[in-house]
Amino acid sequence: MDVPLSCYACGTTAALADGARCDCGEPYWVQTDPSTFEWPDTSERSLWRYRALLPDVTPAGLAAGAGGTPLVRAPRLDDDVGATVHVKYEGANPTGTFKDRGSAVGVAAGAAAGDDAVGTVSHGNMARSMAAHAASAGLDCLVLVPADIPVERLALLARYDPTILRVEGDYGRLYRESLRVGSEAGVRFVNSDTPLRVAGQGTTALEIAESFAPDVPDAVVLPVSSGGHASGVWKAFRDLSAADLVDRVPRLYFVQTSACAPIAEAWARRDDVVTPVEAGETVAYSIANADPPSGNRVLAAASETDGGVLAVDDDAILDARRALASSAGLFVESACATVLAGARRLHDRGDLVADDDVVLVATGTGFTERDLDAPGVDAETVPLSALDETVARII
Amino acid sequence: MDVPLSCYACGTTAALADGARCDCGEPYWVQTDPSTFEWPDTSERSLWRYRALLPDVTPAGLAAGAGGTPLVRAPRLDDDVGATVHVKYEGANPTGTFKDRGSAVGVAAGAAAGDDAVGTVSHGNMARSMAAHAASAGLDCLVLVPADIPVERLALLARYDPTILRVEGDYGRLYRESLRVGSEAGVRFVNSDTPLRVAGQGTTALEIAESFAPDVPDAVVLPVSSGGHASGVWKAFRDLSAADLVDRVPRLYFVQTSACAPIAEAWARRDDVVTPVEAGETVAYSIANADPPSGNRVLAAASETDGGVLAVDDDAILDARRALASSAGLFVESACATVLAGARRLHDRGDLVADDDVVLVATGTGFTERDLDAPGVDAETVPLSALDETVARII
């Protein structure tokens, strides 16, 4: 399978077999031809609706269930954010997060190429997603996890029966090494900012844009960790712009957790290069990437779209998580509650205004971490015979 | 809002304000006019795609995110079931289960009618779903739960901030009493087999049928508890048949847990009336309804479609749950793993055959009960420096 790649930073072109990164040090993404792209006229609901902008593979099994997630209004959050709030709910994907978009494309490509095994480096959502898609396709899946992964996350991952290897050592280096080791051992690693994954992740933006067409939202707010999803979203809006399907690109805002915010810190310094940090503890552990492989690409995306990168602390994240459930009916992963915490901050500083349509990308379900911050419950107990009077009293 | 109702059993017609049950004792469902219905020509992905067959309300907020779930092939389960296996994954709904379809229609109708509060009787999925949809719409939500509800289920429900009342007494009686009490107190109870909920639940079948059109699957397998979802699915296929959009109705098979199988037991006795039972303990607690309000309607659906009702035990359920994750990439609630356990049994007794297309309706995600039957994990730990040799050895 010949998939053309290009480097966003220096324009170098390559092919999938050449690896995931350009000699200039920056990551490749899949080179698309959006010149003739139009909104599809099909009843297909999954991300394969946009196959004209995806690698030429045919999905089977679970891969055909990725994407097609709901975009819902959240009117009770409008005042919070000082704008019109829409939430793209990625928890509706088969394993509960946006990661299924990239896994679907990566595993389908692996199956099409005759691979026996795929792999990834992850301690949570991406691991579960790759293991699930591989299970459906009948491929082995090698998951490299940090040695200190919590046991409950490991147990959830094991449901899909992958080969799990705990690796001691620097996580950023493990990410890079896995690509080399996988290449030598015949295991296709679909890591978080690899070209096939980023191609799949871009469909989040294609769905958002099609939902608004012919209008365009004013701003999109996304959690950011490695920068793979952010890169895919930016690339998709560039493609839509090239295809004349949007007359402008939304401002893209990326949110990190204060405990681990290398991209936000580089943005604040007005650097165009991210420097690794030491990560602290945070409830948003899913996005605590201290050495983000696509960090520089995120800075470029924020800069070119007149957006920004910011960080929010755990208290703000947990408060946003509660508000998303109690005011929008969406119980989300703490890492993805950063989008509401970030949007509140953007409003406070004047970056979101009254007529703005803002899309918060809620990247994952909260059901996978329902023990975190669980509320105490104080519910009255009454006999059935007292139902009438009790209901009359409390309603 | 005037919603016409009719009784499937005796043909009596009524209106929504007349209550949920006919004088003959059987439940009403919403009376539709399928005579001019055609497959919709719209890019709408949610259940509102089928609004021509739904009560005339306009969805807002979370209601617009219900339905539109994926139907995926599960080729690695074909041999298990001796047929071509498709899974309708309802875990993709906003609160992780099929219940969102009925809640979306019920809460949207309540909001359209100017209700201040909605309510339900549930100890799990339906409670969470109603609370979420009410939260999004800005309505109060009264949830009546059994007094002995496990604390972790209560904590998950509380995320959406409903008013929770623990009620001591018979659960089947509570179900019926709540409709009367709600009607007197101005709280619209959208219980599991009420007409608005059943109308929403029917969209599961509309989506399945449209995915296969112009073909029709040979069999659909569904877990059954109160019988509300089963009733909606049966009604939808009747409507499609009346609209000439299907040339036959699939055989509908309904699966219970052996620990609480009043409908399956009535079916085995060839009765057309269900008798309440004493429920035993089961991993499939979500479907352990000892006194199912639409039980007789389920018997009618199984009989008229040449299907059936059967029960499977906990060992078979847990084994099916593991297989759905490790062979189809779908980690589901134990109650909904009954569909694979049931399909295996149907194959063993010759009710599913080689050329059959069978749809298993996986009604909910497993992430809400990930502590149940959690696997022990035995993963090797290696230093990063040994990655090359370890991967070469294990792959």
Side-chain angles (χ1 to χ4, degrees):
Chain A
M1 191 179 49
D2 184 28
V3 178
L5 307 180
S6 65
C7 174
Y8 82 94
C10 71
T12 298
T13 57
L16 195 57
D18 297 328
R21 298 190 93 81
C22 178
D23 289 341
C24 81
E26 286 301 290
Y28 288 126
W29 54 27
V30 173
Q31 179 68 24
T32 47
D33 175 13
S35 61
T36 59
F37 180 71
E38 295 184 2
W39 293 123
D41 180 23
T42 162
S43 62
E44 173 68 55
R45 298 173 193 204
S46 77
L47 62 84
W48 302 97
R49 181 174 178 81
Y50 307 108
R51 60 178 68 202
L53 291 177
L54 292 172
D56 184 23
V57 291
T58 299
L62 194 64
T69 61
L71 179 77
V72 298
R73 276 278 289 122
R76 296 184 64 208
L77 295 175
D78 289 355
D79 285 349
D80 255 34
V81 171
T84 301
V85 177
H86 310 257
V87 183
K88 180 69 171 168
Y89 181 59
E90 290 293 294
N93 278 291
T95 70
T97 81
F98 73 105
K99 291 288 186 184
D100 285 326
R101 297 178 182 271
S103 303
V105 172
V107 174
D115 292 353
D116 293 322
V118 291
T120 200
V121 176
S122 165
H123 53 82
N125 295 330
M126 187 164 57
R128 203 166 61 238
S129 175
M130 282 297 288
H133 285 267
S136 169
L139 303 183
D140 283 340
C141 184
L142 175 61
V143 180
L144 307 181
V145 301
D148 62 353
I149 183 175
V151 64
E152 70 273 12
R153 244 183 284 161
L154 205 56
L156 192 53
L157 170 59
R159 300 276 186 177
Y160 303 99
D161 209 17
T163 300
I164 303 172
L165 197 59
R166 302 178 201 243
V167 185
E168 292 166 330
D170 181 74
Y171 196 65
R173 214 183 116 212
L174 173 60
Y175 184 97
R176 294 184 292 273
E177 289 281 288
S178 69
L179 296 171
R180 178 188 59 72
V181 171
S183 169
E184 286 167 14
V187 180
R188 183 186 299 270
F189 270 76
V190 186
N191 286 357
S192 61
D193 83 331
T194 51
L196 290 172
R197 176 168 299 281
V198 170
Q201 300 303 164
T203 59
T204 308
L206 299 176
E207 290 179 12
I208 291 170
E210 190 179 6
S211 298
F212 276 87
D215 292 333
V216 184
D218 299 287
V220 174
V221 186
L222 199 73
V224 67
S225 178
S226 69
H229 198 189
S231 301
V233 165
W234 181 38
K235 174 70 160 65
F237 276 115
R238 285 162 57 121
D239 280 353
L240 293 175
S241 194
D244 273 334
L245 290 174
V246 295
D247 58 12
R248 62 195 160 84
V249 167
R251 307 190 304 275
L252 300 182
Y253 294 103
F254 305 105
V255 193
Q256 300 206 281
T257 168
S258 304
C260 183
I263 312 175
E265 288 166 18
W267 177 262
R269 289 193 306 264
R270 298 174 190 267
D271 275 358
D272 53 9
V273 174
V274 172
T275 309
V277 297
E278 282 287 321
E281 289 291 307
T282 171
V283 295
Y285 54 85
S286 290
I287 57 169
N289 191 321
D291 184 11
S294 277
N296 301 345
R297 194 156 55 168
V298 174
L299 293 172
S303 176
E304 294 217 358
T305 64
D306 289 321
V309 191
L310 64 163
V312 290
D313 67 24
D314 278 9
D315 284 347
I317 292 168
L318 289 176
D319 189 72
R321 174 164 139 125
R322 284 189 289 271
L324 279 160
S326 64
S327 296
L330 291 166
F331 176 48
V332 303
E333 193 186 17
S334 50
C336 100
T338 52
V339 292
L340 176 58
R344 285 167 163 174
R345 177 82 71 80
L346 289 169
H347 171 52
D348 288 344
R349 71 188 201 195
D351 283 346
L352 291 178
V353 296
D355 286 337
D356 278 351
D357 277 301
V358 57
V359 178
L360 311 182
V361 182
T363 43
T365 177
F367 298 135
T368 51
E369 50 172 37
R370 62 185 161 77
D371 36 6
L372 180 80
D373 189 37
V377 182
D378 187 24
E380 189 177 352
T381 304
V382 299
L384 182 50
S385 58
L387 189 61
D388 283 89
E389 62 190 79
T390 310
V391 171
R393 171 167 52 79
I394 64 178
I395 289 295
Chain B
M1 190 179 46
D2 184 26
V3 178
L5 307 180
S6 65
C7 175
Y8 81 96
C10 72
T12 298
T13 58
L16 195 58
D18 297 329
R21 299 189 93 81
C22 178
D23 288 341
C24 82
E26 286 301 290
Y28 288 126
W29 55 27
V30 173
Q31 179 69 25
T32 47
D33 176 12
S35 61
T36 59
F37 181 70
E38 295 182 4
W39 292 125
D41 179 23
T42 162
S43 63
E44 173 67 57
R45 300 173 193 204
S46 78
L47 62 84
W48 301 98
R49 179 173 179 82
Y50 307 107
R51 62 176 68 204
L53 291 177
L54 293 171
D56 184 25
V57 292
T58 300
L62 195 63
T69 60
L71 179 78
V72 299
R73 276 278 289 122
R76 296 184 65 208
L77 295 175
D78 290 355
D79 285 349
D80 255 34
V81 171
T84 301
V85 177
H86 310 257
V87 183
K88 181 70 172 167
Y89 181 59
E90 289 293 295
N93 277 291
T95 70
T97 80
F98 73 104
K99 290 289 187 184
D100 285 325
R101 298 177 182 272
S103 302
V105 173
V107 174
D115 292 352
D116 293 322
V118 291
T120 201
V121 175
S122 165
H123 53 82
N125 295 330
M126 186 163 58
R128 202 167 62 238
S129 175
M130 282 297 289
H133 284 268
S136 169
L139 302 183
D140 283 339
C141 184
L142 175 61
V143 181
L144 307 181
V145 301
D148 62 352
I149 182 174
V151 64
E152 70 274 12
R153 242 182 288 159
L154 206 56
L156 192 53
L157 171 58
R159 300 276 186 178
Y160 304 100
D161 208 18
T163 300
I164 304 172
L165 197 59
R166 302 178 201 243
V167 185
E168 292 166 331
D170 180 75
Y171 196 65
R173 213 183 117 212
L174 172 60
Y175 184 98
R176 295 184 291 273
E177 290 281 288
S178 69
L179 296 171
R180 179 189 57 74
V181 171
S183 167
E184 287 167 12
V187 181
R188 183 186 299 269
F189 270 76
V190 186
N191 287 358
S192 60
D193 82 332
T194 51
L196 290 172
R197 177 169 298 280
V198 170
Q201 298 304 165
T203 59
T204 308
L206 298 176
E207 290 179 12
I208 291 170
E210 191 180 6
S211 298
F212 277 87
D215 292 333
V216 184
D218 299 286
V220 175
V221 186
L222 200 72
V224 65
S225 177
S226 69
H229 197 189
S231 300
V233 164
W234 181 38
K235 175 70 161 65
F237 276 115
R238 286 162 56 121
D239 280 353
L240 293 176
S241 192
D244 273 334
L245 289 174
V246 295
D247 56 13
R248 61 194 161 84
V249 168
R251 305 190 306 276
L252 300 182
Y253 294 104
F254 305 106
V255 192
Q256 299 207 283
T257 169
S258 304
C260 183
I263 311 175
E265 289 167 16
W267 178 261
R269 288 192 306 265
R270 298 174 190 267
D271 275 359
D272 54 7
V273 174
V274 172
T275 308
V277 298
E278 281 287 320
E281 290 291 308
T282 171
V283 295
Y285 53 85
S286 289
I287 57 169
N289 192 321
D291 184 9
S294 277
N296 302 344
R297 193 157 53 169
V298 175
L299 294 173
S303 177
E304 295 217 357
T305 63
D306 289 322
V309 190
L310 64 163
V312 290
D313 67 23
D314 278 10
D315 284 347
I317 292 168
L318 290 176
D319 189 74
R321 174 165 139 126
R322 285 189 289 271
L324 279 160
S326 64
S327 297
L330 291 166
F331 177 49
V332 302
E333 194 186 17
S334 50
C336 100
T338 52
V339 291
L340 176 59
R344 285 168 162 176
R345 178 81 72 80
L346 290 169
H347 172 52
D348 288 344
R349 69 186 203 196
D351 283 347
L352 292 178
V353 296
D355 286 338
D356 278 352
D357 277 301
V358 57
V359 178
L360 311 182
V361 182
T363 43
T365 177
F367 298 135
T368 51
E369 50 173 36
R370 62 184 161 78
D371 36 7
L372 180 79
D373 188 35
V377 182
D378 187 25
E380 188 177 352
T381 303
V382 299
L384 182 50
S385 57
L387 189 61
D388 283 89
E389 63 190 79
T390 311
V391 170
R393 171 167 53 80
I394 65 178
I395 288 297

